[in-house]
């Protein structure tokens, strides 16, 4: 497998591309992009608009307040991005997944993030306004995803949530090579309480100590303590 084939590519479609600027330029996501573990392209949906004014929305059929994102710019964008990706792979057909954010979608979780790592290209559609013409959900997107039971103003924060959760599962993005082996278990991700210095600290007048076992140096006991305290996030 070539180096290129190992890269997971995220193509994000949004009408607010600048929202991603500082996010992509900080911390582990920045490093992962620099190392070539992931490729993230943020696209201004207006590039595929229906007219020279960059229009991507219109009034809802049936009346009601607000605007709805039109289907054609999204369809054009998705076709072009899939084609561009395929061209790079030549005969080695890669797998793409198109996801649309909506609060009516399937709830995103660690298991879903795990599933997404099976794809080489993720095309992520960020909705705005009163939402997206339903034909995108029916005929263009492979999945409709919600990040929780509340309504946000747009799909940009959900895009960052999905990008970060999935990227974390790409080998080499977080910690040493052993990190994923140790923590990606039992159909989810193993999490347990962590402590650091100082060993003792006074909080609201009471001494709060680090559990003794963690200071014991006894790796077997530490392992057992972590097993006892662990939660599988899935
Ligand atoms: N009426 C729209 C619907 O039923 O899909 C929701 C409109 S919402 C005000 C604007 C956009 O924010 C949505 O199109 C979606 O992309 C995003 N959004 C809002 N809440 C979300 C959630 N809980 N999870 C994922 N995306 C969400």
């Amino acid at each position: 497998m070539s180096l290129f084939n190992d890269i997971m590519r995220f193509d994000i479609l949004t009408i607010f591309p600048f929202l991603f600027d500082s996010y992509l330029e900080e911390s582990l996501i920045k490093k992962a992009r620099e190392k070539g573990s992931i490729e993230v392209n943020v696209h201004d949906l207006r590039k595929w608009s229906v007219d020279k004014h960059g229009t991507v929305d219109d009034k809802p059929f049936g009346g009601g307040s607000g605007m709805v994102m039109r289907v054609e710019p999204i369809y054009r964008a998705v076709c072009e991005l899939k084609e561009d990706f395929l061209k790079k792979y030549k005969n080695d057909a890669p797998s793409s997944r198109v996801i649309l954010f909506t609060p009516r979608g399937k709830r995103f979780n660690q298991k879903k993030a795990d599933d997404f790592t099976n794809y080489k290209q993720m095309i992520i559609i960020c909705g705005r306004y009163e939402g997206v013409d339903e034909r995108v959900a029916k005929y263009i997107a492979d999945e409709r995803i919600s990040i929780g039971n509340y309504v946000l103003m747009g799909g940009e924060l959900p895009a960052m949530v999905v990008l970060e959760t999935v990227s974390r599962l790409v080998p080499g993005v977080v910690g040493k090579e052993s990190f994923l082996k140790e923590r990606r278990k039992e159909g989810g991700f193993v999490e347990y309480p962590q402590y650091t210095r100082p060993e003792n600290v006074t909080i609201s007048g009471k001494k709060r100590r680090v559990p003794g076992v963690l200071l014991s140096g006894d790796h077997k006991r530490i392992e057992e303590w972590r097993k006892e305290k662990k939660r599988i996030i899935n």
Side-chain angles (χ1 to χ4, degrees), residues 69 100-104 125-132 134 145-156 158:
M69 290 177 77
L100 169 71
F101 287 121
T102 159
R104 290 176 291 126
I125 305 165
C126 305
R128 275 273 158 179
Y129 311 124
E130 284 307 306
V132 178
E134 193 65 15
I145 297 289
S146 161
I147 62 159
N149 227 359
Y150 39 78
V151 182
L152 296 159
M153 288 190 270
E156 287 74 14

Side-chain angles (χ1 to χ4, degrees), residues 12-15 20 45 69 74 99-101 124-128 132 154-159:
I12 300 170
L13 287 166
T14 169
I15 56 167
F20 291 85
L45 188 63
M69 290 177 77
I74 295 175
I99 69 168
L100 169 71
F101 287 121
I124 296 175
I125 305 165
C126 305
R128 275 273 158 179
V132 178
E156 287 74 14
L157 288 175

